[in-house]
Amino acid sequence: MAALILSLNDKKRLDTGFAAAFDGAAERYFSAPGRTEVSGNHTDHQRGRVLAGAVNLDTVAAVRANGTNVIRVQSKGYPLCQVRLDALEPVASEVNSTPALIRGVAARFAQLGCKVEGFDAYCESTVLPGSGLSSSAAFEVLIGTIINHLFFGGRVSQPEIAQIGQYAENVFFGKPCGLMDQTASAVGGLVTIDFADKEHPDIRPVHFDFSTTGHALCIIDSRADHADLTDEYAAIPGELKELCGFFGKEVITQIPEEEFYAAIPALREKYPDRAIMRAIHEYNENRRVPQQVACLEQGDFDGFLRLAKESGYSSWMYLQNVIPAGYVKQQAMAVALGLCEHYLQGRGAYRVHGGGFAGTVQAFVPFDLLESFRAGIDAALGEGACHVLSIRPQGGVEMEVEA
Protein backbone atom coordinates (compact mmCIF):
# COMPACT_ATOMS: atom_id res chain seq x y z
CA MET A 1 0.00 0.00 0.00
CA ALA A 2 1.25 3.48 -0.87
CA ALA A 3 2.45 5.66 1.97
CA LEU A 4 0.31 8.60 3.05
CA ILE A 5 2.26 11.75 2.28
CA LEU A 6 1.92 14.93 4.34
CA SER A 7 2.40 17.96 2.11
CA LEU A 8 4.78 20.69 3.21
CA ASN A 9 1.90 23.18 3.37
CA ASP A 10 -0.13 20.88 5.62
CA LYS A 11 2.95 20.21 7.76
CA LYS A 12 3.49 23.95 8.17
CA ARG A 13 -0.13 24.41 9.26
CA LEU A 14 0.07 21.58 11.79
CA ASP A 15 3.43 22.79 13.08
CA THR A 16 2.00 26.25 13.63
CA GLY A 17 -0.92 24.82 15.59
CA PHE A 18 1.37 22.59 17.62
CA ALA A 19 3.74 25.42 18.51
CA ALA A 20 0.85 27.65 19.60
CA ALA A 21 -0.55 24.89 21.83
CA PHE A 22 2.61 23.42 23.34
CA ASP A 23 5.66 25.49 22.34
CA GLY A 24 8.50 23.77 20.54
CA ALA A 25 8.25 21.56 17.47
CA ALA A 26 6.33 18.43 16.63
CA GLU A 27 8.35 15.36 15.72
CA ARG A 28 5.89 12.94 14.06
CA TYR A 29 2.61 13.08 12.16
CA PHE A 30 -0.35 10.69 12.16
CA SER A 31 -3.67 10.29 10.36
CA ALA A 32 -6.84 8.20 10.76
CA PRO A 33 -9.71 8.33 8.26
CA GLY A 34 -13.43 8.57 8.69
CA ARG A 35 -15.47 5.69 7.40
CA THR A 36 -18.56 5.03 5.35
CA GLU A 37 -20.77 2.02 5.92
CA VAL A 38 -21.64 0.70 2.48
CA SER A 39 -23.79 -2.21 3.64
CA GLY A 40 -24.67 -3.84 6.95
CA ASN A 41 -26.69 -1.36 8.99
CA HIS A 42 -26.37 -2.26 12.71
CA THR A 43 -25.18 -5.79 11.94
CA ASP A 44 -21.78 -5.54 13.63
CA HIS A 45 -23.09 -5.68 17.20
CA GLN A 46 -24.96 -8.87 16.26
CA ARG A 47 -21.70 -10.45 15.04
CA GLY A 48 -22.91 -10.21 11.48
CA ARG A 49 -21.36 -8.99 8.25
CA VAL A 50 -20.63 -5.50 6.97
CA LEU A 51 -19.17 -3.80 3.91
CA ALA A 52 -17.39 -0.57 4.77
CA GLY A 53 -14.66 1.72 3.58
CA ALA A 54 -12.25 4.36 4.81
CA VAL A 55 -12.90 7.75 3.18
CA ASN A 56 -10.78 10.70 2.07
CA LEU A 57 -11.66 12.78 5.15
CA ASP A 58 -9.44 12.29 8.17
CA THR A 59 -8.25 13.38 11.58
CA VAL A 60 -4.57 14.30 11.64
CA ALA A 61 -2.14 15.04 14.45
CA ALA A 62 1.27 16.60 14.93
CA VAL A 63 2.84 14.75 17.87
CA ARG A 64 5.77 14.84 20.28
CA ALA A 65 6.49 12.69 23.33
CA ASN A 66 6.58 15.06 26.33
CA GLY A 67 8.43 12.98 28.95
CA THR A 68 5.61 13.32 31.48
CA ASN A 69 2.78 11.16 32.76
CA VAL A 70 0.13 13.23 30.98
CA ILE A 71 -1.36 12.96 27.50
CA ARG A 72 -2.28 16.41 26.21
CA VAL A 73 -4.46 16.75 23.12
CA GLN A 74 -5.33 20.10 21.58
CA SER A 75 -7.99 19.69 18.91
CA LYS A 76 -8.51 22.77 16.78
CA GLY A 77 -11.47 24.76 18.08
CA TYR A 78 -11.77 22.82 21.35
CA PRO A 79 -10.36 23.20 24.89
CA LEU A 80 -7.10 21.46 25.75
CA CYS A 81 -7.72 17.88 26.88
CA GLN A 82 -5.40 16.39 29.52
CA VAL A 83 -5.40 12.80 30.80
CA ARG A 84 -3.13 11.61 33.59
CA LEU A 85 -1.79 8.10 33.09
CA ASP A 86 -1.69 7.18 36.78
CA ALA A 87 -5.50 6.75 36.73
CA LEU A 88 -6.49 4.35 33.95
CA GLU A 89 -9.91 3.32 35.22
CA PRO A 90 -13.27 4.56 33.89
CA VAL A 91 -14.25 7.94 35.32
CA ALA A 92 -17.99 8.52 35.74
CA SER A 93 -17.77 12.25 35.05
CA GLU A 94 -15.99 11.58 31.73
CA VAL A 95 -18.77 9.49 30.15
CA ASN A 96 -19.53 10.74 26.60
CA SER A 97 -16.35 12.85 26.55
CA THR A 98 -13.05 12.98 24.67
CA PRO A 99 -10.95 12.31 27.81
CA ALA A 100 -12.84 9.02 28.22
CA LEU A 101 -11.72 7.87 24.76
CA ILE A 102 -8.08 8.83 25.39
CA ARG A 103 -8.07 7.20 28.83
CA GLY A 104 -9.74 4.07 27.49
CA VAL A 105 -7.28 3.60 24.63
CA ALA A 106 -4.31 4.20 26.95
CA ALA A 107 -5.75 1.79 29.52
CA ARG A 108 -6.13 -1.02 27.00
CA PHE A 109 -2.57 -0.56 25.73
CA ALA A 110 -1.34 -0.70 29.34
CA GLN A 111 -3.28 -3.95 29.85
CA LEU A 112 -1.46 -5.36 26.80
CA GLY A 113 1.89 -4.61 28.40
CA CYS A 114 2.69 -1.27 26.79
CA LYS A 115 4.38 1.33 28.98
CA VAL A 116 2.26 4.26 27.88
CA GLU A 117 3.88 7.64 28.44
CA GLY A 118 2.78 11.21 27.97
CA PHE A 119 2.69 12.98 24.62
CA ASP A 120 1.43 16.21 23.12
CA ALA A 121 -0.80 16.15 20.05
CA TYR A 122 -2.27 18.98 18.03
CA CYS A 123 -5.21 17.67 15.96
CA GLU A 124 -7.24 18.90 13.05
CA SER A 125 -10.11 17.04 11.41
CA THR A 126 -12.21 17.07 8.28
CA VAL A 127 -14.37 14.31 9.82
CA LEU A 128 -16.87 16.64 11.42
CA PRO A 129 -18.58 15.51 14.66
CA GLY A 130 -22.06 14.20 13.91
CA SER A 131 -21.25 13.79 10.22
CA GLY A 132 -22.09 10.09 10.21
CA LEU A 133 -18.53 9.30 9.09
CA SER A 134 -17.58 8.32 12.63
CA SER A 135 -15.36 11.06 13.98
CA SER A 136 -15.15 9.19 17.30
CA ALA A 137 -13.75 6.04 15.65
CA ALA A 138 -11.24 8.11 13.67
CA PHE A 139 -10.11 9.78 16.89
CA GLU A 140 -9.82 6.46 18.75
CA VAL A 141 -7.82 4.94 15.90
CA LEU A 142 -5.62 8.05 15.76
CA ILE A 143 -4.80 7.89 19.49
CA GLY A 144 -4.22 4.14 19.26
CA THR A 145 -1.93 4.51 16.26
CA ILE A 146 0.08 7.23 18.03
CA ILE A 147 0.57 5.13 21.19
CA ASN A 148 1.36 2.03 19.14
CA HIS A 149 4.14 3.80 17.20
CA LEU A 150 5.53 5.97 20.00
CA PHE A 151 5.63 3.45 22.83
CA PHE A 152 4.93 -0.09 21.55
CA GLY A 153 7.12 -0.46 18.47
CA GLY A 154 4.09 -0.81 16.20
CA ARG A 155 3.54 -4.37 17.41
CA VAL A 156 -0.26 -4.05 17.61
CA SER A 157 -2.01 -4.72 14.28
CA GLN A 158 -4.54 -2.33 12.79
CA PRO A 159 -7.49 -4.70 13.46
CA GLU A 160 -6.32 -4.89 17.09
CA ILE A 161 -6.21 -1.08 17.26
CA ALA A 162 -9.84 -1.14 16.14
CA GLN A 163 -10.69 -3.46 19.03
CA ILE A 164 -8.84 -1.16 21.43
CA GLY A 165 -10.94 1.76 20.16
CA GLN A 166 -14.16 -0.21 20.64
CA TYR A 167 -13.08 -1.09 24.19
CA ALA A 168 -12.54 2.60 24.96
CA GLU A 169 -15.94 3.54 23.55
CA ASN A 170 -17.81 0.70 25.27
CA VAL A 171 -16.15 0.74 28.69
CA PHE A 172 -14.96 4.33 29.19
CA PHE A 173 -17.11 6.47 26.88
CA GLY A 174 -20.30 4.56 27.67
CA LYS A 175 -21.59 3.81 24.15
CA PRO A 176 -22.33 0.14 23.31
CA CYS A 177 -21.07 0.39 19.71
CA GLY A 178 -20.08 -2.49 17.49
CA LEU A 179 -16.69 -2.82 15.81
CA MET A 180 -17.39 -1.76 12.25
CA ASP A 181 -16.50 1.94 12.54
CA GLN A 182 -13.13 1.38 14.18
CA THR A 183 -12.19 -1.49 11.85
CA ALA A 184 -12.95 0.44 8.67
CA SER A 185 -10.96 3.43 9.94
CA ALA A 186 -8.03 1.38 11.20
CA VAL A 187 -7.64 -0.97 8.23
CA GLY A 188 -8.41 1.34 5.30
CA GLY A 189 -9.67 0.62 1.79
CA LEU A 190 -12.97 -1.11 1.05
CA VAL A 191 -13.39 -4.19 3.24
CA THR A 192 -16.01 -6.75 4.10
CA ILE A 193 -15.93 -7.94 7.70
CA ASP A 194 -17.53 -11.00 9.30
CA PHE A 195 -17.78 -10.52 13.07
CA ALA A 196 -18.86 -14.10 13.88
CA ASP A 197 -15.66 -14.55 15.91
CA LYS A 198 -15.74 -11.34 17.92
CA GLU A 199 -12.13 -11.69 19.07
CA HIS A 200 -10.79 -12.34 15.57
CA PRO A 201 -13.14 -10.81 12.95
CA ASP A 202 -12.59 -12.01 9.39
CA ILE A 203 -11.52 -8.95 7.37
CA ARG A 204 -11.26 -9.26 3.60
CA PRO A 205 -10.43 -6.49 1.10
CA VAL A 206 -12.91 -5.86 -1.70
CA HIS A 207 -11.18 -4.61 -4.82
CA PHE A 208 -13.63 -2.24 -6.48
CA ASP A 209 -13.35 1.31 -7.76
CA PHE A 210 -16.62 3.22 -7.42
CA SER A 211 -15.29 5.96 -9.72
CA THR A 212 -15.60 3.55 -12.67
CA THR A 213 -19.37 3.12 -12.23
CA GLY A 214 -20.55 6.49 -13.49
CA HIS A 215 -21.82 7.23 -9.97
CA ALA A 216 -20.53 9.47 -7.18
CA LEU A 217 -20.48 8.31 -3.57
CA CYS A 218 -22.25 11.05 -1.61
CA ILE A 219 -22.89 11.56 2.07
CA ILE A 220 -25.72 13.94 2.96
CA ASP A 221 -25.60 15.65 6.33
CA SER A 222 -29.16 15.89 7.69
CA ARG A 223 -27.95 18.67 10.02
CA ALA A 224 -29.59 16.90 12.96
CA ASP A 225 -27.78 16.67 16.30
CA HIS A 226 -27.42 13.13 17.68
CA ALA A 227 -25.79 14.17 20.94
CA ASP A 228 -28.88 13.33 23.00
CA LEU A 229 -29.73 10.10 21.16
CA THR A 230 -27.43 7.62 22.92
CA ASP A 231 -30.46 5.88 24.44
CA GLU A 232 -31.99 5.43 20.98
CA TYR A 233 -28.81 3.79 19.68
CA ALA A 234 -28.42 1.65 22.79
CA ALA A 235 -32.03 0.44 22.52
CA ILE A 236 -31.29 -1.47 19.32
CA PRO A 237 -28.68 -3.92 20.72
CA GLY A 238 -30.50 -3.80 24.06
CA GLU A 239 -33.84 -4.97 22.64
CA LEU A 240 -32.15 -7.62 20.51
CA LYS A 241 -30.18 -8.91 23.49
CA GLU A 242 -33.39 -9.35 25.50
CA LEU A 243 -35.04 -11.17 22.61
CA CYS A 244 -32.00 -13.44 22.15
CA GLY A 245 -32.32 -14.40 25.82
CA PHE A 246 -35.50 -16.28 24.91
CA PHE A 247 -33.30 -18.67 22.92
CA GLY A 248 -30.45 -18.69 25.42
CA LYS A 249 -28.20 -16.87 22.95
CA GLU A 250 -26.29 -13.58 22.94
CA VAL A 251 -26.87 -12.32 19.40
CA ILE A 252 -29.25 -12.86 16.49
CA THR A 253 -26.65 -14.55 14.29
CA GLN A 254 -26.50 -17.45 16.77
CA ILE A 255 -30.21 -18.22 16.27
CA PRO A 256 -31.29 -20.18 13.15
CA GLU A 257 -33.69 -18.01 11.14
CA GLU A 258 -36.37 -20.70 10.88
CA GLU A 259 -36.26 -21.15 14.65
CA PHE A 260 -36.79 -17.41 15.13
CA TYR A 261 -39.79 -17.26 12.77
CA ALA A 262 -41.38 -20.32 14.36
CA ALA A 263 -41.10 -18.65 17.77
CA ILE A 264 -42.71 -15.32 16.78
CA PRO A 265 -46.11 -16.07 18.44
CA ALA A 266 -44.36 -16.78 21.75
CA LEU A 267 -41.97 -13.86 21.30
CA ARG A 268 -44.84 -11.39 20.82
CA GLU A 269 -46.29 -12.39 24.18
CA LYS A 270 -43.07 -11.46 25.94
CA TYR A 271 -41.24 -8.82 23.88
CA PRO A 272 -42.18 -5.60 22.04
CA ASP A 273 -43.02 -5.95 18.37
CA ARG A 274 -40.25 -3.46 17.60
CA ALA A 275 -37.65 -5.93 18.85
CA ILE A 276 -39.08 -8.60 16.54
CA MET A 277 -39.04 -6.21 13.58
CA ARG A 278 -35.44 -5.30 14.34
CA ALA A 279 -34.50 -8.98 14.37
CA ILE A 280 -36.11 -9.40 10.94
CA HIS A 281 -33.88 -6.58 9.68
CA GLU A 282 -30.79 -8.30 11.09
CA TYR A 283 -31.49 -11.55 9.25
CA ASN A 284 -32.22 -9.80 5.95
CA GLU A 285 -29.38 -7.29 6.18
CA ASN A 286 -26.81 -9.90 7.17
CA ARG A 287 -27.80 -11.95 4.13
CA ARG A 288 -27.64 -8.86 1.89
CA VAL A 289 -23.99 -7.97 2.64
CA PRO A 290 -22.31 -10.94 0.88
CA GLN A 291 -24.75 -10.53 -2.00
CA GLN A 292 -23.60 -6.93 -2.45
CA VAL A 293 -19.94 -7.93 -2.18
CA ALA A 294 -20.54 -10.54 -4.89
CA CYS A 295 -22.21 -7.93 -7.09
CA LEU A 296 -19.21 -5.63 -6.82
CA GLU A 297 -16.69 -8.39 -7.45
CA GLN A 298 -18.67 -9.59 -10.48
CA GLY A 299 -19.14 -6.08 -11.87
CA ASP A 300 -22.93 -6.11 -11.39
CA PHE A 301 -23.32 -2.53 -10.18
CA ASP A 302 -27.04 -2.44 -10.98
CA GLY A 303 -27.51 -5.41 -8.67
CA PHE A 304 -25.50 -3.64 -6.00
CA LEU A 305 -27.70 -0.54 -6.28
CA ARG A 306 -30.88 -2.61 -6.02
CA LEU A 307 -29.64 -4.22 -2.82
CA ALA A 308 -28.51 -0.85 -1.44
CA LYS A 309 -32.07 0.44 -1.83
CA GLU A 310 -33.38 -2.69 -0.10
CA SER A 311 -30.98 -2.02 2.78
CA GLY A 312 -32.37 1.49 3.15
CA TYR A 313 -35.98 0.31 3.11
CA SER A 314 -35.20 -2.38 5.69
CA SER A 315 -33.53 0.10 8.02
CA TRP A 316 -36.53 2.42 7.88
CA MET A 317 -39.30 -0.21 8.05
CA TYR A 318 -37.82 -2.90 10.26
CA LEU A 319 -34.82 -1.53 12.14
CA GLN A 320 -36.67 1.78 12.61
CA ASN A 321 -33.60 3.98 13.02
CA VAL A 322 -34.72 6.94 10.93
CA ILE A 323 -37.10 8.81 13.29
CA PRO A 324 -36.40 8.82 17.04
CA ALA A 325 -39.31 7.58 19.15
CA GLY A 326 -41.87 10.31 19.71
CA TYR A 327 -40.29 12.85 17.36
CA VAL A 328 -42.96 14.68 15.39
CA LYS A 329 -41.65 18.17 14.70
CA GLN A 330 -38.05 17.22 13.92
CA GLN A 331 -37.58 14.36 11.43
CA ALA A 332 -34.40 15.48 9.69
CA MET A 333 -33.23 12.06 8.51
CA ALA A 334 -36.62 11.33 6.93
CA VAL A 335 -36.54 14.69 5.14
CA ALA A 336 -33.03 13.96 3.82
CA LEU A 337 -34.16 10.56 2.53
CA GLY A 338 -37.18 12.14 0.86
CA LEU A 339 -34.97 14.71 -0.85
CA CYS A 340 -32.69 11.95 -2.15
CA GLU A 341 -35.64 10.09 -3.64
CA HIS A 342 -36.87 13.24 -5.33
CA TYR A 343 -33.57 14.37 -6.83
CA LEU A 344 -32.40 10.89 -7.89
CA GLN A 345 -35.48 10.50 -10.14
CA GLY A 346 -35.61 6.73 -9.66
CA ARG A 347 -31.93 6.22 -10.43
CA GLY A 348 -28.92 5.42 -8.25
CA ALA A 349 -29.62 4.46 -4.65
CA TYR A 350 -29.92 6.02 -1.20
CA ARG A 351 -30.11 4.68 2.35
CA VAL A 352 -29.79 5.64 6.00
CA HIS A 353 -26.13 5.60 6.91
CA GLY A 354 -24.46 4.48 10.13
CA GLY A 355 -26.27 4.67 13.44
CA GLY A 356 -29.26 6.53 12.06
CA PHE A 357 -31.77 8.73 13.93
CA ALA A 358 -29.55 11.73 13.14
CA GLY A 359 -26.39 12.17 11.11
CA THR A 360 -26.27 11.21 7.48
CA VAL A 361 -27.74 9.54 4.42
CA GLN A 362 -25.62 7.74 1.82
CA ALA A 363 -26.39 8.09 -1.88
CA PHE A 364 -24.93 6.75 -5.10
CA VAL A 365 -25.60 9.50 -7.60
CA PRO A 366 -25.23 9.22 -11.41
CA PHE A 367 -22.63 11.71 -12.62
CA ASP A 368 -25.12 13.41 -14.95
CA LEU A 369 -27.39 14.14 -11.96
CA LEU A 370 -24.67 15.10 -9.51
CA GLU A 371 -24.78 18.87 -10.05
CA SER A 372 -28.57 19.15 -9.75
CA PHE A 373 -28.67 16.61 -6.92
CA ARG A 374 -26.09 18.49 -4.85
CA ALA A 375 -27.71 21.86 -5.59
CA GLY A 376 -31.11 20.59 -4.51
CA ILE A 377 -29.81 18.99 -1.32
CA ASP A 378 -27.78 22.06 -0.34
CA ALA A 379 -30.68 24.39 -1.05
CA ALA A 380 -32.93 22.41 1.28
CA LEU A 381 -30.50 21.45 4.06
CA GLY A 382 -27.86 24.16 3.87
CA GLU A 383 -24.71 24.84 1.88
CA GLY A 384 -22.24 21.98 2.10
CA ALA A 385 -24.77 19.37 3.25
CA CYS A 386 -23.86 17.08 0.33
CA HIS A 387 -20.31 15.70 0.43
CA VAL A 388 -18.76 13.83 -2.51
CA LEU A 389 -16.28 11.26 -1.18
CA SER A 390 -13.85 8.62 -2.34
CA ILE A 391 -12.44 5.48 -0.72
CA ARG A 392 -9.01 5.96 0.93
CA PRO A 393 -6.64 2.98 0.72
CA GLN A 394 -4.78 3.79 3.95
CA GLY A 395 -6.19 3.25 7.43
CA GLY A 396 -4.62 4.63 10.61
CA VAL A 397 -1.01 5.46 9.74
CA GLU A 398 2.05 7.52 10.51
CA MET A 399 2.44 9.97 7.63
CA GLU A 400 5.61 10.60 5.66
CA VAL A 401 6.52 14.23 5.08
CA GLU A 402 6.76 15.38 1.49
CA ALA A 403 10.35 15.48 0.30
Side-chain angles (χ1 to χ4, degrees):
M1 183 186 301
L4 187 63
I5 304 300
L6 178 67
S7 72
L8 293 177
N9 284 338
D10 287 343
K11 178 182 182 298
K12 181 178 179 180
R13 189 187 70 251
L14 290 174
D15 285 345
T16 299
F18 185 93
F22 304 112
D23 295 324
E27 297 175 348
R28 302 169 76 170
Y29 304 87
F30 296 85
S31 166
R35 69 93 186 97
T36 182
E37 166 213 292
V38 180
S39 182
N41 196 226
H42 278 273
T43 51
D44 55 342
H45 54 66
Q46 295 303 301
R47 299 185 206 166
R49 299 182 179 96
V50 302
L51 175 63
V55 298
N56 60 325
L57 299 176
D58 64 349
T59 300
V60 298
V63 178
R64 179 187 64 196
N66 61 27
T68 74
N69 199 36
V70 180
I71 294 174
R72 302 192 299 175
V73 177
Q74 176 67 69
S75 295
K76 183 179 180 180
Y78 292 89
L80 178 67
C81 178
Q82 301 188 76
V83 173
R84 294 190 60 84
L85 297 172
D86 53 4
L88 293 180
E89 298 294 330
V91 177
S93 62
E94 289 182 351
V95 168
N96 291 323
S97 74
T98 299
L101 296 178
I102 298 171
R103 195 181 305 278
V105 171
R108 187 65 185 129
F109 268 97
Q111 293 165 14
L112 294 173
C114 175
K115 188 179 185 303
V116 184
E117 299 177 18
F119 63 86
D120 296 332
Y122 170 75
C123 302
E124 294 186 1
S125 183
T126 51
V127 190
L128 300 176
S131 66
L133 300 174
S134 201
S135 58
S136 59
F139 184 77
E140 294 154 17
V141 169
L142 180 71
I143 297 299
T145 303
I146 291 169
I147 293 175
N148 192 34
H149 284 267
L150 257 59
F151 308 118
F152 216 31
R155 71 186 68 173
V156 172
S157 70
Q158 292 308 111
E160 289 171 325
I161 285 178
Q163 292 174 317
I164 290 169
Q166 183 198 29
Y167 170 82
E169 194 154 345
N170 289 174
V171 178
F172 285 71
F173 188 82
K175 183 177 179 179
C177 68
L179 189 56
M180 178 189 68
D181 295 353
Q182 294 85 353
T183 302
S185 176
V187 173
L190 184 67
V191 293
T192 185
I193 312 165
D194 187 339
F195 292 106
D197 183 346
K198 65 180 181 179
E199 300 301 327
H200 302 94
D202 181 16
I203 304 168
R204 184 169 66 83
V206 178
H207 301 290
F208 186 83
D209 184 356
F210 282 105
S211 68
T212 66
T213 66
H215 289 69
L217 169 59
C218 295
I219 296 297
I220 295 91
D221 185 353
S222 70
R223 301 292 168 87
D225 184 3
H226 63 200
D228 62 345
L229 294 173
T230 296
D231 289 346
E232 291 280 359
Y233 298 120
I236 295 176
E239 289 178 9
L240 292 172
K241 182 177 181 179
E242 290 184 8
L243 187 147
C244 289
F246 178 89
F247 301 91
K249 303 294 184 182
E250 293 182 55
V251 292
I252 288 294
T253 50
Q254 296 173 330
I255 304 165
E257 189 171 0
E258 61 274 14
E259 185 177 338
F260 161 77
Y261 275 96
I264 283 181
L267 293 172
R268 295 190 69 198
E269 293 181 1
K270 191 172 182 181
Y271 305 100
D273 280 348
R274 188 172 72 170
I276 294 168
M277 299 295 282
R278 285 173 164 171
I280 290 173
H281 165 82
E282 294 293 334
Y283 284 113
N284 292 339
E285 188 80 341
N286 198 46
R287 184 164 45 245
R288 220 172 345 253
V289 171
Q291 293 173 349
Q292 287 187 267
V293 171
C295 284
L296 293 180
E297 292 180 335
Q298 295 165 11
D300 180 11
F301 195 64
D302 288 339
F304 168 84
L305 292 176
R306 174 180 55 79
L307 291 166
K309 293 177 186 177
E310 289 183 9
S311 172
Y313 296 151
S314 180
S315 293
W316 197 335
M317 290 188 295
Y318 300 122
L319 186 62
Q320 299 179 38
N321 68 331
V322 170
I323 301 172
Y327 277 45
V328 176
K329 185 176 180 181
Q330 299 293 330
Q331 298 186 357
M333 286 290 289
V335 171
L337 289 164
L339 290 168
C340 287
E341 180 168 344
H342 174 73
Y343 287 111
L344 280 173
Q345 304 173 20
R347 299 169 63 193
Y350 65 95
R351 59 192 285 277
V352 62
H353 177 262
F357 299 114
T360 57
V361 168
Q362 179 186 73
F364 294 93
V365 183
F367 286 155
D368 62 293
L369 292 179
L370 182 58
E371 184 176 346
S372 60
F373 178 88
R374 181 157 48 181
I377 295 293
D378 285 358
L381 300 181
E383 191 67 28
C386 180
H387 303 270
V388 181
L389 304 179
S390 61
I391 300 296
R392 162 174 147 163
Q394 302 91 354
V397 292
E398 181 168 5
M399 294 185 287
E400 297 182 9
V401 178
E402 183 180 41

